[in-house]
Amino acid sequence: MGLRSKVKASPTEALAGLEDGMTLHVGGWGGIGVPDILIRAIAASGIRGLTISTNNCGMGRPGDVGELFAAGCVKKVLTTFPVHASGVQFKERLDAGEVELEIVPQGTLAERLRAAGAGLGGFYTPTSVGTPLAEGKETRVINGREYVLEMPLHADFAIIRAVQADTFGNLRFRYANRGFNPVMAQAGKVTIVQADEVVQPGAFNPDDVHLPGIFVDRIVVTGAQQ
């Protein structure tokens, strides 16, 4: 049987199966590589009770993750940089007691995602030792230095953005787009890609594939360039 196209007709079709109470990785780094079309579709869907992982909680830009907070979709967020001066939606929900916040150092967040995608059981890191972020976590002394055990971060769904995809899901990113998007794609049970452009297989060299299509389940093409 030959490979089938993973391109879907609409964001709604691509997001089929995402339900209340699920876990969701939301790609992007700052304002770069943000799957804004998919975020808007989730915000408009009426979904509630999501636990999301994201590098930040919004910067006040149209289509960023702040729209999920504004729509009341999120009950808990794991993030590195929660509050931006222009991103008021998250802070409003937090102050109202409607959202739970878990701070995760940026490198630790990336490694927890990578560990999930690689099938690892966890890893030890010196980051956060002796701080409130390490409270309640297992620690171990290795070669005279204390480390904290961090667990892999899986999700039911991951939504990411790529500059280019072929119909089989092989992806190319641009510069900082490669920050969190690839590791989130590998850590999601179902990964949905918002692609600025979709091409036929073979349109770009195999050496230019930044993420193989085996990690991609569905694609939505936007025609936008970021």
Side-chain angles (χ1 to χ4, degrees), residues 160-165 193-198 219-224:
I160 69 166
R161 186 166 180 174
V163 167
Q164 194 175 52
V193 177
Q194 176 182 324
D196 297 339
E197 180 186 16
V198 173
I219 303 166
V220 172
V221 60
T222 66

Side-chain angles (χ1 to χ4, degrees), residues 193-209:
V193 177
Q194 176 182 324
D196 297 339
E197 180 186 16
V198 173
V199 298
Q200 292 301 311
F204 46 85
N205 193 292
D207 284 343
D208 291 332
V209 174

Side-chain angles (χ1 to χ4, degrees), residues 102-105 127-137 148-150:
E102 181 178 337
I103 297 289
V104 184
T127 304
S128 81
V129 167
T131 74
L133 300 184
E135 292 179 0
K137 296 179 180 179
V148 175
L149 176 63
E150 296 285 356

